[in-house]
């Protein structure tokens, strides 16, 4: 038995009971954060439960690793033949897991997502815990493109983080572009203000804006081309949609040129920050190029790739310690590193009305 209750200021004023529901979960009506397993459970919930949530949610996040349950352990010492068989079996399991999740995401995109008419913020942050590469780039490309084209026009904040092991070899996809040709097209997401992308494939087509001021509200833009996984000790690089064998340096250079041209042409007149991030393997650090200010800075350790305010926090922390300092000095080498050692100013707590959805269930034989 599932009980749905709405509480405002601690007072329960609405109660709806639905029979035969098999999930125990607490979510917020307006702010919903789902793990991958909870997301898949949500898709299996009764239509009434799904409709109840989709008609109220304003901020939706789906995040976490999606292949933690895919394991295939070794048993003692292995011969080369046994190891080859084990890796092939693991790759097959991972392939099936990726396909299943992409199918679920596609179904969600085509049926539920377009009905979220109050949605303002959407974040998809998923990762792989496997060191074994599986040929799933094309599967994810289609799924993510379907997701982007299904987002409601009310959306103002979008984050997509799906970067893991990728292939440098073309697999003959009919449309190799993940989101590059749809996410900033003239008729897409007219209310978008903040965009953050870290994908397995991307290309300069993202900035091929044909109409000046087509996204007049866009204020911040972050594109990360690499990511370092400390759990796996691996660096993952995005590849170019149409030329996956192209070097990371060439992709970075072309992305910078295309982004600079779009910014110079004032395609985004409200733009305050436009950053392209890359991982410097030799120096073991993340660098950020801001196309608006023209500055290249080192991203401090501990800062999230999609955080556009870490440099502002460094400036505030440095001002508090040393008084007024020239802003250009803060962005150079040692000054940035020294500022990173200080404690950043915490963000003020959000103030607003929160309504909560609680689903309590009892098991049924």
């Amino acid at each position: 038995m599932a009980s749905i209750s709405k509480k405002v200021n601690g007072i329960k004023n609405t109660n709806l009971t639905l029979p035969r529901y098999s999930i125990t979960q607490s979510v917020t009506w307006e702010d919903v954060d789902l793990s991958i397993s909870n997301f898949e459970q949500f898709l299996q919930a009764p239509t009434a439960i799904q409709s109840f949530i989709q008609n109220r949610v304003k901020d939706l996040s789906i995040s976490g690793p999606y292949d933690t349950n895919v394991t295939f352990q070794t048993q003692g010492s292995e011969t080369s033949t046994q190891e080859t068989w084990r890796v092939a079996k693991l790759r097959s399991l991972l392939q099936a897991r990726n396909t299943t999740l992409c199918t679920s995401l596609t179904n969600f995109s085509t049926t539920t997502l377009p009905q979220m008419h109050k949605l303002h913020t959407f974040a998809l942050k998923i990762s792989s815990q496997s060191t074994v590469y599986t040929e799933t780039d094309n599967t994810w490309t289609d799924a993510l493109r379907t997701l982007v084209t299904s987002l409601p026009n009310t959306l103002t904040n979008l984050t997509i983080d799906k970067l893991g092991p990728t292939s440098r070899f073309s697999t003959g996809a009919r449309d190799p572009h993940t989101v590059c040709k749809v996410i900033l097209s003239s008729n897409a997401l007219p209310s978008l203000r903040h965009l953050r992308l870290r994908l397995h494939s991307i290309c300069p087509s993202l900035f091929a804006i044909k109409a000046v001021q087509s996204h007049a509200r866009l204020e911040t833009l972050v594109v990360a081309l690499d990511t370092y996984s400390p759990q796996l000790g691996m660096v993952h690089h995005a590849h170019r949609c149409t030329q996956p064998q192209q070097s990371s340096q060439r992709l970075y250079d072309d992305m910078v040129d295309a982004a600079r041209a779009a910014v110079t042409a004032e395609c985004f007149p409200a733009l305050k920050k436009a950053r392209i991030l890359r991982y410097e393997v030799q120096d073991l650090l993340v660098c950020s190029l801001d196309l608006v200010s023209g500055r290249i800075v080192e991203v401090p350790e501990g800062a999230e790739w999609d955080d556009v305010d870490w440099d502002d926090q460094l400036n505030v922390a440095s001002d508090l310690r040393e008084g007024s300092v020239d802003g250009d000095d803060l962005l150079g080498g040692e000054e940035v590193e020294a500022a990173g050692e200080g404690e950043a100013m915490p963000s003020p707590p959000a103030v607003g009305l929160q309504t909560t959805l609680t689903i309590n269930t009892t098991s049924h034989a």
Side-chain angles (χ1 to χ4, degrees), residues 46-178:
T47 303
I49 295 293
Q50 294 190 35
S51 298
F52 185 84
I53 296 175
Q54 73 186 25
N55 291 334
R56 292 162 176 79
V57 63
K58 294 182 178 179
D59 302 321
L60 176 61
S61 173
I62 303 171
S63 60
Y66 59 85
D67 54 8
T68 53
N69 295 328
V70 180
T71 57
F72 201 73
Q73 301 294 336
T74 60
Q75 296 182 356
S77 59
E78 288 183 317
T79 65
S80 59
T81 302
Q82 290 173 330
E83 181 182 5
T84 301
W85 180 85
R86 176 180 60 82
V87 173
K89 181 65 175 179
L90 178 57
R91 183 174 285 112
S92 177
L93 293 174
L94 290 170
Q95 178 85 31
R97 175 57 183 145
N98 277 267
T99 301
T100 299
L101 182 56
C102 285
T103 300
S104 298
L105 189 63
T106 300
N107 292 336
F108 167 76
S109 300
T110 55
T111 59
T112 304
L113 193 56
Q115 307 304 318
M116 295 182 173
H117 301 300
K118 295 183 179 180
L119 192 65
H120 294 298
T121 299
F122 179 80
L124 178 68
K125 297 183 176 183
I126 52 182
S127 60
S128 170
Q129 301 299 305
S130 174
T131 58
V132 177
Y133 173 72
T134 55
E135 189 61 60
T136 57
D137 286 0
N138 289 345
T139 305
W140 278 106
T141 294
D142 293 340
L144 294 177
R145 185 171 57 247
T146 301
L147 182 144
V148 168
T149 55
S150 302
L151 289 166
N153 289 336
T154 56
L155 201 74
T156 58
N157 303 276
L158 175 60
T159 300
I160 303 180
D161 185 3
K162 168 51 182 84
L163 180 56
T166 58
S167 174
R168 288 292 179 182
F169 302 96
S170 177
T171 55
R174 289 179 299 177
D175 186 353
H177 295 282
T178 307

Side-chain angles (χ1 to χ4, degrees), residues 5-35:
S5 58
K6 179 179 179 181
K7 297 182 180 181
V8 180
N9 297 328
I11 303 175
K12 184 167 71 173
N13 60 3
T14 304
N15 189 77
L16 172 63
T17 300
L18 301 174
R20 302 178 65 82
Y21 186 59
S22 59
I23 300 177
T24 299
Q25 182 180 339
S26 178
V27 295
T28 305
W29 291 4
E30 296 182 353
D31 188 359
V32 179
D33 189 358
L34 299 177
S35 65

